[in-house]
Amino acid sequence: MPGLKIRELSFSYDGTKILKNINLDFKEGEKTFILGGNGEGKTTLLEHLNGLLQPNTGDIYFGDQKITYDDSCLNKLRQEIGVLFQNPENQIVAPKVPQDIGVGPCNLGLTQEQVKNRINNSLKKLDIKELAERKTHNLSVGEKKKVCIAGLLAMKPSTLVLDEPLSSLDPKSSREVIDIIQNLNQEEGKTIIIATHNIGFASKIADKVIIMEEGKVKESGSPENILRKDILNKYSLKPPGLNMNKIHK
Amino acid sequence: MTTLSRKLRSHTLSQKNNLGLTSNQKIFFSIFTLFINISLKEVHSILLVLLFMTSLTIWSGIRIKNYFKVMLVPLFFLIPSIAIIMFIRGTNIVFTINLLGIQLHVMREGINLGLILLLRALAGVSCLYFLILTTPIEEMIQSFRKIKLPNVVIEILFLSYKLIFDLADRAEILKRSLNSKLGFNSIKNSFKSISLFTSSLFVNSIDRSIKINKALDARCCNGKMPSPNILEEKKGINKKISISFLVLITFDLILIALKII
Ligand SMILES: Nc1ncnc2c1ncn2[C@@H]1O[C@H](COP(=O)(O)OP(=O)(O)OP(=O)(O)O)[C@@H](O)[C@H]1O
Ligand SMILES: [Mg+2]
């Protein structure tokens, strides 16, 4: 499973520069956390990772292969790299839960039997069998999030890119999702990239932490080096009432 | 949240099938009746279609209140256009409206034609509403695939379905949000709110279509929609032609007979 490399990436929305000269390496099998305040460009960066957005300048490499934005390359990329959107409303496309989870596998050209297996496995993994009969439009936000994660896993990507995976999940579901992430990482060796402003979450499982500000990568390193009071304060990322003594693993 | 659009969607998805018809039969029946309806000229036959289709739809589980709400939508467009016909068709003046010195004559033939048009349009809409409100989109798409409608058409159908419902949801959400900000507490504020509402609905619809596109892209749909039905259990489709279908076809035959006589 190859890693991801970003070289000199810049991106603008309507002439406003959002990402500026980003250079990043995501090593395979590593859990990287991208921290940053609201509107600093985390989501925009993640959407580049499976070709949903195309950089104005700069390149992204998956393994040794440069992403070229033609159909076959994008297809392979999107199969290998699963992106969880920040807002599950934007990710659900089918009217029923199993159908939605099956959209990806169907597109990979699997047989009905295989698709069904994948759906069932995903439902089991996320412990949402009870949603199997439900329609997607009246799920709660947290339930939608889980359905989206299940839809990702059903495509069996080698890299998971998760945009705020814990937002709107209750503590129990959060713990479950963290366990799932850990499992995927440790047992199946999947590369994990997570954008969040949840420092506690990052300190629990990160192998590497990146801090973004105004579309630039400002800090990058091990959680011990980055998740320090002075650094977090500098980027106004220290949550109110967080006890810094407890933060390290 | 149970907005009207959600209620209707829940209903079509619930596949509560009071009539015991397959979606193929429903599609055939409603389109066939629609065509007969277009060729009808007598008010009583058209009224018959309208009443029959309306009661069928309501009988299959749509709440009467919701049905009339959705019927208001075509009326909104029909009434102004038909009102104009009353002034421009025919020679027998029934009465005259004096508008700032301009004489507007309402004609007998115009009234007749307008009424027939109105009824026929409503009857046609009721045929399609019967199909739309009682058949889940996946089943319709599956049937369309069976009759080999081109893929492009089916995909556009599916996407517009999704966008329409998204839009209806957005409209409801926006209305709520404006309400919570007292947007409709005075006439002046209402006007402001309505302009806000329309513009953000417009922007929203474009934004939604971009996001749906992203969601589909992320799952490797490069221009090809997966059959949304591939995962549906094949429901035990009634092989024997059900009695209700025969009844419906008889209705169509009666209409044709009425027309010929
Ligand atoms: N489609 C768009 N058009 C124009 N500007 C956009 C668009 N999407 C995002 N932006 C802008 O790009 C900047 C970065 O947005 P992004 O969503 O990447 O932030 P983020 O770090 O994910 O923030 P958050 O933590 O709130 O999710 C913001 O200033 C935002 O306003
Ligand atoms: Mg974001």
Side-chain angles (χ1 to χ4, degrees):
Chain A
M1 265 165 260
L4 264 167
K5 272 189 299 211
I6 300 177
R7 289 290 172 264
E8 299 292 326
L9 181 149
S10 297
F11 180 80
S12 324
Y13 268 128
D14 321 318
T16 322
K17 269 212 158 176
I18 307 288
L19 299 176
K20 300 159 192 162
N21 276 334
I22 304 241
N23 284 295
L24 278 176
D25 280 39
F26 300 101
K27 290 210 193 71
E28 59 172 293
E30 223 177 38
K31 293 179 295 256
T32 309
F33 274 68
I34 302 175
L35 303 181
N38 292 132
E40 308 286 18
K42 302 182 296 295
T43 301
T44 313
L45 178 63
L46 295 196
E47 287 187 347
H48 278 85
L49 294 182
N50 79 344
L52 292 174
L53 294 176
Q54 190 170 347
N56 298 129
T57 59
D59 294 305
I60 302 173
Y61 298 85
F62 184 57
D64 301 324
Q65 203 194 351
K66 188 167 127 180
I67 299 179
T68 53
Y69 301 96
D70 56 61
D71 275 357
S72 70
C73 177
L74 283 181
N75 235 3
K76 182 165 166 281
L77 189 73
R78 287 171 181 159
Q79 180 178 346
E80 289 284 337
I81 302 179
V83 177
L84 176 74
F85 294 2
Q86 183 164 12
N87 183 354
E89 299 281 350
N90 295 338
Q91 192 149 28
I92 289 179
V93 288
K96 284 186 172 175
V97 170
Q99 274 174 8
D100 188 74
I101 299 176
V103 169
C106 282
N107 286 328
L108 298 181
L110 302 178
T111 63
Q112 284 224 29
E113 206 48 46
Q114 289 169 316
V115 172
K116 258 186 206 150
N117 273 338
R118 288 208 179 182
I119 295 171
N120 285 334
N121 285 340
S122 296
L123 286 172
K124 220 184 287 162
K125 241 184 202 149
L126 281 150
D127 199 17
I128 47 171
K129 287 230 135 152
E130 70 278 6
L131 300 184
E133 298 295 313
R134 296 278 300 275
K135 297 144 210 158
T136 48
H137 67 274
N138 48 23
L139 296 176
S140 81
V141 184
E143 286 166 340
K144 278 185 184 157
K145 197 115 202 173
K146 289 191 201 172
V147 170
C148 290
I149 299 178
L152 277 194
L153 297 187
M155 288 177 82
K156 300 212 169 153
S158 66
T159 302
L160 287 171
V161 175
L162 310 171
D163 200 348
E164 293 288 356
L166 300 192
S167 67
S168 59
L169 292 184
D170 64 17
K172 177 168 165 281
S173 312
S174 298
R175 227 170 296 131
E176 284 165 7
V177 169
I178 294 178
D179 283 346
I180 291 168
I181 295 173
Q182 285 283 51
N183 243 328
L184 289 167
N185 176 247
Q186 278 156 13
E187 261 140 54
E188 303 176 29
K190 292 195 195 301
T191 313
I192 312 274
I193 300 167
I194 294 176
T196 183
H197 16 76
N198 187 336
I199 306 293
F201 175 32
S203 71
K204 263 196 206 99
I205 66 170
D207 296 323
K208 183 181 171 188
V209 177
I210 289 161
I211 294 187
M212 279 185 75
E213 197 182 51
E214 293 176 358
K216 289 189 200 128
V217 175
K218 291 288 186 149
E219 309 276 344
S220 148
S222 67
E224 287 78 12
N225 289 334
I226 305 289
L227 298 179
R228 287 184 353 222
K229 199 173 178 179
D230 50 332
I231 293 185
L232 291 181
N233 266 335
K234 187 173 158 196
Y235 299 102
S236 316
L237 283 171
K238 191 170 107 47
L242 183 75
N243 185 346
M244 291 305 293
N245 298 327
K246 281 190 189 164
I247 202 167
H248 286 306
K249 295 183 251 188
Chain B
M1 216 176 3
T2 44
T3 61
L4 179 64
S5 74
R6 274 167 193 246
K7 266 186 216 148
L8 293 176
R9 184 161 35 160
S10 291
H11 178 81
T12 55
L13 279 170
S14 73
Q15 283 144 24
K16 193 170 90 191
N17 201 338
N18 280 355
L19 301 171
L21 293 176
T22 65
S23 50
N24 284 347
Q25 290 167 343
K26 280 185 207 160
I27 290 174
F28 175 77
F29 173 65
S30 54
I31 305 278
F32 191 50
T33 316
L34 180 68
F35 276 110
I36 296 177
N37 171 58
I38 293 172
S39 65
L40 290 177
K41 290 198 181 59
E42 305 78 13
V43 177
H44 57 266
S45 320
I46 300 175
L47 262 179
L48 197 63
V49 174
L50 180 61
L51 283 179
F52 189 75
M53 286 315 231
T54 304
S55 27
L56 260 188
T57 315
I58 289 169
W59 186 33
S60 68
I62 296 283
R63 293 264 303 280
I64 296 181
K65 203 176 104 204
N66 291 341
Y67 186 78
F68 284 108
K69 266 191 201 163
V70 285
M71 264 298 185
L72 281 180
V73 179
L75 268 182
F76 182 76
F77 296 98
L78 275 173
I79 294 205
S81 35
I82 278 169
I84 291 172
I85 292 177
M86 299 203 290
F87 296 108
I88 56 174
R89 229 355 236 270
T91 45
N92 297 324
I93 298 168
V94 182
F95 60 90
T96 304
I97 300 171
N98 203 333
L99 195 74
L100 302 173
I102 304 170
Q103 306 264 314
L104 292 174
H105 309 294
V106 177
M107 324 275 193
R108 157 121 301 129
E109 291 88 339
I111 291 178
N112 284 343
L113 184 69
L115 261 180
I116 288 200
L117 275 181
L118 180 74
L119 277 178
R120 197 187 280 164
L122 283 182
V125 168
S126 75
C127 291
L128 287 181
Y129 273 172
F130 166 68
L131 180 64
I132 297 168
L133 296 178
T134 62
T135 321
I137 183 79
E138 304 99 87
E139 284 187 13
M140 264 194 253
I141 286 180
Q142 202 188 28
S143 305
F144 287 149
R145 263 185 224 284
K146 248 188 237 152
I147 56 173
K148 299 269 182 301
L149 221 62
N151 248 338
V152 189
V153 179
I154 294 177
E155 274 151 30
I156 289 176
L157 203 98
F158 182 71
L159 283 180
S160 16
Y161 168 86
K162 186 154 174 54
L163 273 176
I164 287 170
F165 273 115
D166 269 329
L167 207 64
D169 279 354
R170 272 321 297 181
E172 202 61 43
I173 290 167
L174 276 173
K175 207 176 91 196
R176 259 166 225 230
S177 163
L178 282 170
N179 257 328
S180 77
K181 291 173 186 161
L182 303 177
F184 299 102
N185 64 348
S186 69
I187 292 180
K188 190 165 150 248
N189 280 350
S190 296
F191 274 117
K192 261 195 222 149
S193 297
I194 286 169
S195 84
L196 269 180
F197 176 83
T198 0
S199 59
S200 49
L201 199 60
F202 178 68
V203 172
N204 255 307
S205 66
I206 293 174
D207 183 58
R208 281 302 298 171
S209 63
I210 294 173
K211 283 183 174 143
I212 290 177
N213 194 20
K214 260 190 195 166
L216 288 170
D217 271 355
R219 305 213 216 165
C220 298
C221 299
N222 35 7
K224 209 166 77 247
M225 276 299 289
S227 153
N229 214 49
I230 187 160
L231 309 158
E232 283 292 303
E233 298 289 330
K234 285 271 175 302
K235 274 180 240 72
I237 287 173
N238 250 346
K239 273 282 182 289
K240 60 180 191 321
I241 291 189
S242 53
I243 299 172
S244 30
F245 187 57
L246 283 182
V247 172
L248 296 186
I249 291 302
T250 320
F251 172 72
D252 276 348
L253 293 180
I254 292 174
L255 280 181
I256 295 176
L258 275 178
K259 191 174 137 52
I260 293 170
I261 297 167

